[in-house]
Amino acid sequence: MNRITAIDYLSLLEYQFLIDRIPEWSTNRIKRLIKTPKIYAGDTGFACALLHQNRSSLLKNRTLYGPFVETFVFQELRRQASASEDYYSFFHFRVVMVLKLI
């Protein structure tokens, strides 16, 4: 699949509220344009169904459990923000770890 097709599919999924793209937080606006947005599932229950996961299988598979909890928390924060009279913007902060071997 080429890049243009992938972008079109992501736009379609976002238009249907199945995913959310969140830009990276940065103090430099030009730098922000270069960074890749993080993609969250629109509904953790739907994502679990697509991956054939249930409560017990998620508790056994910790590599999937963390991202599902993060997605759930983001969706709850977004719902709370939509009920507020103030405007809120959401960003993600990506930490790059560099290991130095001696």
Side-chain angles (χ1 to χ4, degrees):
M1 176 183 314
N2 65 25
R3 188 173 197 268
I4 302 298
T5 305
I7 290 171
D8 288 344
Y9 280 139
L10 285 174
S11 296
L12 178 66
L13 291 172
E14 192 172 24
Y15 180 74
Q16 306 245 336
F17 300 104
L18 294 175
I19 64 167
D20 290 309
R21 286 190 269 190
I22 307 302
E24 180 174 311
W25 177 82
S26 174
T27 56
N28 184 351
R29 287 190 181 269
I30 295 172
K31 188 176 177 183
R32 184 182 299 162
L33 295 174
I34 298 170
K35 299 295 181 180
T36 305
K38 192 167 190 177
I39 298 174
Y40 285 102
D43 181 12
T44 53
F46 183 65
C48 282
L50 287 176
L51 295 173
H52 304 291
Q53 298 293 313
N54 58 25
R55 182 179 179 272
S56 60
S57 64
L58 275 179
L59 290 174
K60 291 176 188 173
N61 186 354
R62 292 298 189 172
T63 57
L64 278 178
Y65 183 73
F68 272 104
V69 170
E70 181 182 353
T71 300
F72 177 77
V73 169
F74 165 71
Q75 294 298 340
E76 288 301 312
L77 287 173
R78 193 178 68 143
R79 285 182 187 94
Q80 291 292 323
S82 68
S84 174
E85 293 177 4
D86 297 326
Y87 177 75
Y88 293 96
S89 296
F90 291 95
F91 301 96
H92 73 92
F93 185 72
R94 186 168 292 169
V95 177
V96 179
M97 295 178 62
V98 178
L99 298 176
K100 203 177 202 184
L101 297 176
I102 298 174

mmCIF file of all heavy atoms in Angstrom, residues 7-26:
data_model
loop_
_atom_site.group_PDB
_atom_site.id
_atom_site.type_symbol
_atom_site.label_atom_id
_atom_site.label_comp_id
_atom_site.label_asym_id
_atom_site.label_seq_id
_atom_site.Cartn_x
_atom_site.Cartn_y
_atom_site.Cartn_z
ATOM 1 N N ILE A 7 -2.877 7.329 3.884
ATOM 2 C CA ILE A 7 -3.376 8.604 4.400
ATOM 3 C C ILE A 7 -4.876 8.733 4.148
ATOM 4 O O ILE A 7 -5.630 9.192 5.006
ATOM 5 C CB ILE A 7 -2.590 9.786 3.794
ATOM 6 C CG1 ILE A 7 -1.169 9.798 4.346
ATOM 7 C CG2 ILE A 7 -3.280 11.116 4.062
ATOM 8 C CD1 ILE A 7 -0.240 10.768 3.661
ATOM 9 N N ASP A 8 -5.321 8.310 2.960
ATOM 10 C CA ASP A 8 -6.753 8.349 2.649
ATOM 11 C C ASP A 8 -7.555 7.442 3.578
ATOM 12 O O ASP A 8 -8.633 7.812 4.047
ATOM 13 C CB ASP A 8 -6.997 7.954 1.193
ATOM 14 C CG ASP A 8 -6.547 9.018 0.211
ATOM 15 O OD1 ASP A 8 -6.337 10.184 0.645
ATOM 16 O OD2 ASP A 8 -6.401 8.700 -0.983
ATOM 17 N N TYR A 9 -7.030 6.234 3.841
ATOM 18 C CA TYR A 9 -7.719 5.319 4.749
ATOM 19 C C TYR A 9 -7.779 5.891 6.164
ATOM 20 O O TYR A 9 -8.805 5.798 6.838
ATOM 21 C CB TYR A 9 -7.035 3.949 4.777
ATOM 22 C CG TYR A 9 -7.392 3.059 3.613
ATOM 23 C CD1 TYR A 9 -6.417 2.293 2.980
ATOM 24 C CD2 TYR A 9 -8.693 2.967 3.148
ATOM 25 C CE1 TYR A 9 -6.732 1.463 1.916
ATOM 26 C CE2 TYR A 9 -9.018 2.146 2.087
ATOM 27 C CZ TYR A 9 -8.041 1.403 1.480
ATOM 28 O OH TYR A 9 -8.364 0.593 0.433
ATOM 29 N N LEU A 10 -6.681 6.475 6.635
ATOM 30 C CA LEU A 10 -6.684 7.074 7.970
ATOM 31 C C LEU A 10 -7.686 8.225 8.052
ATOM 32 O O LEU A 10 -8.389 8.373 9.051
ATOM 33 C CB LEU A 10 -5.285 7.562 8.342
ATOM 34 C CG LEU A 10 -4.285 6.480 8.723
ATOM 35 C CD1 LEU A 10 -2.897 7.091 8.928
ATOM 36 C CD2 LEU A 10 -4.726 5.734 9.953
ATOM 37 N N SER A 11 -7.755 9.029 6.992
ATOM 38 C CA SER A 11 -8.722 10.131 6.973
ATOM 39 C C SER A 11 -10.144 9.601 7.022
ATOM 40 O O SER A 11 -11.004 10.159 7.711
ATOM 41 C CB SER A 11 -8.528 10.990 5.725
ATOM 42 O OG SER A 11 -7.269 11.602 5.751
ATOM 43 N N LEU A 12 -10.409 8.526 6.289
ATOM 44 C CA LEU A 12 -11.742 7.923 6.299
ATOM 45 C C LEU A 12 -12.099 7.389 7.683
ATOM 46 O O LEU A 12 -13.204 7.615 8.179
ATOM 47 C CB LEU A 12 -11.819 6.794 5.267
ATOM 48 C CG LEU A 12 -13.134 6.035 5.207
ATOM 49 C CD1 LEU A 12 -14.253 6.949 4.731
ATOM 50 C CD2 LEU A 12 -13.005 4.840 4.292
ATOM 51 N N LEU A 13 -11.157 6.700 8.334
ATOM 52 C CA LEU A 13 -11.402 6.179 9.676
ATOM 53 C C LEU A 13 -11.615 7.305 10.686
ATOM 54 O O LEU A 13 -12.456 7.194 11.573
ATOM 55 C CB LEU A 13 -10.241 5.291 10.117
ATOM 56 C CG LEU A 13 -10.106 3.962 9.383
ATOM 57 C CD1 LEU A 13 -8.807 3.271 9.779
ATOM 58 C CD2 LEU A 13 -11.298 3.071 9.647
ATOM 59 N N GLU A 14 -10.885 8.396 10.517
ATOM 60 C CA GLU A 14 -11.064 9.541 11.408
ATOM 61 C C GLU A 14 -12.407 10.221 11.159
ATOM 62 O O GLU A 14 -13.084 10.626 12.096
ATOM 63 C CB GLU A 14 -9.924 10.539 11.197
ATOM 64 C CG GLU A 14 -9.847 11.612 12.234
ATOM 65 C CD GLU A 14 -8.598 12.455 12.108
ATOM 66 O OE1 GLU A 14 -8.024 12.538 11.009
ATOM 67 O OE2 GLU A 14 -8.203 13.040 13.126
ATOM 68 N N TYR A 15 -12.818 10.311 9.910
ATOM 69 C CA TYR A 15 -14.104 10.912 9.561
ATOM 70 C C TYR A 15 -15.268 10.109 10.143
ATOM 71 O O TYR A 15 -16.299 10.655 10.509
ATOM 72 C CB TYR A 15 -14.214 11.004 8.039
ATOM 73 C CG TYR A 15 -15.494 11.614 7.550
ATOM 74 C CD1 TYR A 15 -15.727 12.981 7.655
ATOM 75 C CD2 TYR A 15 -16.483 10.822 6.976
ATOM 76 C CE1 TYR A 15 -16.904 13.541 7.216
ATOM 77 C CE2 TYR A 15 -17.666 11.374 6.526
ATOM 78 C CZ TYR A 15 -17.869 12.738 6.649
ATOM 79 O OH TYR A 15 -19.041 13.289 6.219
ATOM 80 N N GLN A 16 -15.080 8.792 10.255
ATOM 81 C CA GLN A 16 -16.116 7.918 10.798
ATOM 82 C C GLN A 16 -16.018 7.774 12.322
ATOM 83 O O GLN A 16 -16.720 6.956 12.921
ATOM 84 C CB GLN A 16 -16.011 6.536 10.156
ATOM 85 C CG GLN A 16 -16.048 6.581 8.653
ATOM 86 C CD GLN A 16 -17.252 5.901 8.099
ATOM 87 O OE1 GLN A 16 -17.829 5.051 8.736
ATOM 88 N NE2 GLN A 16 -17.640 6.283 6.910
ATOM 89 N N PHE A 17 -15.120 8.538 12.950
ATOM 90 C CA PHE A 17 -14.904 8.534 14.396
ATOM 91 C C PHE A 17 -14.421 7.186 14.925
ATOM 92 O O PHE A 17 -14.693 6.820 16.063
ATOM 93 C CB PHE A 17 -16.154 8.986 15.160
ATOM 94 C CG PHE A 17 -16.600 10.368 14.805
ATOM 95 C CD1 PHE A 17 -17.701 10.557 13.988
ATOM 96 C CD2 PHE A 17 -15.903 11.469 15.259
ATOM 97 C CE1 PHE A 17 -18.113 11.834 13.634
ATOM 98 C CE2 PHE A 17 -16.309 12.747 14.909
ATOM 99 C CZ PHE A 17 -17.406 12.930 14.106
ATOM 100 N N LEU A 18 -13.695 6.443 14.101
ATOM 101 C CA LEU A 18 -13.133 5.175 14.549
ATOM 102 C C LEU A 18 -11.728 5.353 15.107
ATOM 103 O O LEU A 18 -11.255 4.510 15.870
ATOM 104 C CB LEU A 18 -13.128 4.156 13.408
ATOM 105 C CG LEU A 18 -14.517 3.730 12.932
ATOM 106 C CD1 LEU A 18 -14.412 2.827 11.725
ATOM 107 C CD2 LEU A 18 -15.271 3.047 14.054
ATOM 108 N N ILE A 19 -11.040 6.427 14.694
ATOM 109 C CA ILE A 19 -9.720 6.741 15.234
ATOM 110 C C ILE A 19 -9.637 8.240 15.505
ATOM 111 O O ILE A 19 -10.426 9.024 14.968
ATOM 112 C CB ILE A 19 -8.563 6.326 14.299
ATOM 113 C CG1 ILE A 19 -8.610 7.123 12.993
ATOM 114 C CG2 ILE A 19 -8.524 4.837 14.069
ATOM 115 C CD1 ILE A 19 -7.352 7.002 12.162
ATOM 116 N N ASP A 20 -8.676 8.619 16.332
ATOM 117 C CA ASP A 20 -8.350 10.019 16.587
ATOM 118 C C ASP A 20 -6.854 10.187 16.390
ATOM 119 O O ASP A 20 -6.066 9.377 16.896
ATOM 120 C CB ASP A 20 -8.701 10.421 18.024
ATOM 121 C CG ASP A 20 -10.179 10.492 18.259
ATOM 122 O OD1 ASP A 20 -10.854 11.155 17.463
ATOM 123 O OD2 ASP A 20 -10.645 9.887 19.240
ATOM 124 N N ARG A 21 -6.470 11.220 15.661
ATOM 125 C CA ARG A 21 -5.048 11.541 15.504
ATOM 126 C C ARG A 21 -4.728 12.738 16.393
ATOM 127 O O ARG A 21 -5.357 13.783 16.287
ATOM 128 C CB ARG A 21 -4.717 11.877 14.047
ATOM 129 C CG ARG A 21 -4.694 10.653 13.166
ATOM 130 C CD ARG A 21 -4.148 10.963 11.826
ATOM 131 N NE ARG A 21 -5.236 11.343 10.931
ATOM 132 C CZ ARG A 21 -5.111 11.493 9.636
ATOM 133 N NH1 ARG A 21 -3.945 11.323 9.072
ATOM 134 N NH2 ARG A 21 -6.146 11.828 8.899
ATOM 135 N N ILE A 22 -3.740 12.558 17.259
ATOM 136 C CA ILE A 22 -3.352 13.590 18.218
ATOM 137 C C ILE A 22 -1.944 14.050 17.873
ATOM 138 O O ILE A 22 -1.010 13.236 17.827
ATOM 139 C CB ILE A 22 -3.380 13.031 19.662
ATOM 140 C CG1 ILE A 22 -4.722 12.383 19.958
ATOM 141 C CG2 ILE A 22 -3.048 14.119 20.663
ATOM 142 C CD1 ILE A 22 -5.905 13.296 19.800
ATOM 143 N N PRO A 23 -1.760 15.367 17.634
ATOM 144 C CA PRO A 23 -0.418 15.855 17.295
ATOM 145 C C PRO A 23 0.526 15.810 18.492
ATOM 146 O O PRO A 23 0.092 15.782 19.644
ATOM 147 C CB PRO A 23 -0.670 17.305 16.850
ATOM 148 C CG PRO A 23 -1.927 17.690 17.527
ATOM 149 C CD PRO A 23 -2.751 16.437 17.663
ATOM 150 N N GLU A 24 1.811 15.814 18.203
ATOM 151 C CA GLU A 24 2.808 15.812 19.256
ATOM 152 C C GLU A 24 2.939 17.203 19.849
ATOM 153 O O GLU A 24 2.888 18.203 19.138
ATOM 154 C CB GLU A 24 4.158 15.362 18.707
ATOM 155 C CG GLU A 24 5.227 15.355 19.767
ATOM 156 C CD GLU A 24 6.517 14.780 19.264
ATOM 157 O OE1 GLU A 24 6.492 13.705 18.659
ATOM 158 O OE2 GLU A 24 7.560 15.410 19.506
ATOM 159 N N TRP A 25 3.120 17.255 21.169
ATOM 160 C CA TRP A 25 3.328 18.537 21.827
ATOM 161 C C TRP A 25 4.751 18.989 21.566
ATOM 162 O O TRP A 25 5.701 18.215 21.682
ATOM 163 C CB TRP A 25 3.116 18.408 23.324
ATOM 164 C CG TRP A 25 3.400 19.686 24.036
ATOM 165 C CD1 TRP A 25 2.565 20.749 24.165
ATOM 166 C CD2 TRP A 25 4.608 20.050 24.690
ATOM 167 N NE1 TRP A 25 3.188 21.748 24.863
ATOM 168 C CE2 TRP A 25 4.444 21.348 25.195
ATOM 169 C CE3 TRP A 25 5.827 19.399 24.890
ATOM 170 C CZ2 TRP A 25 5.425 22.013 25.890
ATOM 171 C CZ3 TRP A 25 6.812 20.063 25.589
ATOM 172 C CH2 TRP A 25 6.598 21.352 26.083
ATOM 173 N N SER A 26 4.888 20.236 21.176
ATOM 174 C CA SER A 26 6.196 20.807 20.932
ATOM 175 C C SER A 26 6.114 22.307 21.132
ATOM 176 O O SER A 26 5.080 22.921 20.861
ATOM 177 C CB SER A 26 6.649 20.488 19.504
ATOM 178 O OG SER A 26 7.854 21.150 19.218
#
